[in-house]
Amino acid sequence: MNASAHLSDVETRLLDPKRAGQADRVHRGLQEAITEGVIPPGVLLVSADLASGYKVDLHVVAVALRGLAHNGLVHLHHRGAKVADAPTTPPIPHRSPRQARSHIELTIRRRLATRIYQPGNMLARQRVLAKEFGVSTAAYRRAIQPLVEEGFLIPSVNPRGTRVSDRLPRVETVPC
């Protein structure tokens, strides 16, 4: 598992060791289910249901959900958390601008091909996706430009943003 799979000491500092372990277990379980698509984007994770299912208290669930929010997998909600529209990929430090553009384009292309981004839907705001990839908004725009030119993404004025076209890449055309 990668380093972000576990909660940090900062996130669990107010919990005793047993509850910190429980929070980490909940966090890892939910993170795995979200990243593998078992829990799809848009699903509301209700804190009370999670507490009951994992047999932990609400405070433990709250800590686990804050960790998932910190990783960009969920958006906190007053009853729990909502799974983010797209799984995030942690930025890899020390990439050249060319490597970053290639990584972003390939990741978005894969998300289109696997229908994580559905035809007709809007992508998250550019600044949100740029932050996800650890680049400037301008660098993000340059990275997705080939997808716009190929007709997979459509710039939209109203509402402002980028819309997924009905024309999506086929899975076998996406390089690994």
Side-chain angles (χ1 to χ4, degrees), residues 17 43 46 57 60 68 84 90 97-98 102 127 130 139-140 144-145 152 158:
V43 169
V46 179
D57 63 61
V60 167
L68 293 170
R98 180 176 288 161
S102 177
R127 72 177 188 280
Y140 170 79
I144 67 165
Q145 188 58 39
F152 300 130
N158 190 12

Side-chain angles (χ1 to χ4, degrees), residues 2 4-5 27 30-37 39-41 66-75 82-92 95 103-104 107-108 110-111 116-117 124-134 140:
N2 62 28
S4 67
H27 176 265
L30 290 173
Q31 181 177 21
E32 184 176 315
I34 292 168
T35 57
E36 291 181 3
I39 302 175
R66 280 195 301 273
L68 293 170
H70 183 261
N71 292 341
L73 293 173
V74 300
H75 303 288
K82 186 175 181 181
V83 178
D85 290 335
T88 60
T89 55
I92 298 175
R95 284 190 182 202
H103 172 71
I104 294 166
T107 301
I108 300 297
R110 283 182 178 151
R111 290 176 184 177
I116 290 173
Y117 295 144
R125 295 197 175 272
Q126 289 183 358
R127 72 177 188 280
V128 172
L129 288 169
K131 183 178 178 184
E132 171 187 339
F133 291 108
Y140 170 79

Side-chain angles (χ1 to χ4, degrees), residues 11-169:
E11 292 165 321
T12 59
R13 72 182 182 274
L14 298 177
L15 298 176
D16 61 67
K18 178 183 176 187
R19 292 172 72 212
Q22 291 173 337
D24 191 58
R25 179 175 53 92
V26 173
H27 176 265
R28 282 183 288 120
L30 290 173
Q31 181 177 21
E32 184 176 315
I34 292 168
T35 57
E36 291 181 3
V38 176
I39 302 175
V43 169
L44 179 63
L45 302 172
V46 179
S47 295
D49 294 344
L50 293 172
S52 174
Y54 279 98
K55 296 182 179 15
V56 296
D57 63 61
L58 287 172
H59 189 68
V60 167
V61 170
V63 169
L65 292 178
R66 280 195 301 273
L68 293 170
H70 183 261
N71 292 341
L73 293 173
V74 300
H75 303 288
L76 295 178
H77 187 273
H78 71 278
R79 290 178 35 206
K82 186 175 181 181
V83 178
D85 290 335
T88 60
T89 55
I92 298 175
H94 309 298
R95 284 190 182 202
S96 73
R98 180 176 288 161
Q99 288 172 323
R101 280 194 306 271
S102 177
H103 172 71
I104 294 166
E105 179 186 349
L106 180 59
T107 301
I108 300 297
R109 189 177 295 273
R110 283 182 178 151
R111 290 176 184 177
L112 290 167
T114 58
R115 305 301 193 263
I116 290 173
Y117 295 144
Q118 292 291 317
N121 288 355
M122 297 293 287
L123 295 183
R125 295 197 175 272
Q126 289 183 358
R127 72 177 188 280
V128 172
L129 288 169
K131 183 178 178 184
E132 171 187 339
F133 291 108
V135 298
S136 69
T137 304
Y140 170 79
R141 278 195 299 270
R142 284 191 298 274
I144 67 165
Q145 188 58 39
L147 299 170
V148 171
E149 291 169 359
E150 292 175 51
F152 300 130
L153 298 176
I154 304 166
S156 177
V157 177
N158 190 12
R160 188 172 182 205
T162 307
R163 185 175 302 280
V164 177
S165 77
D166 292 332
R167 183 174 176 260
L168 296 177

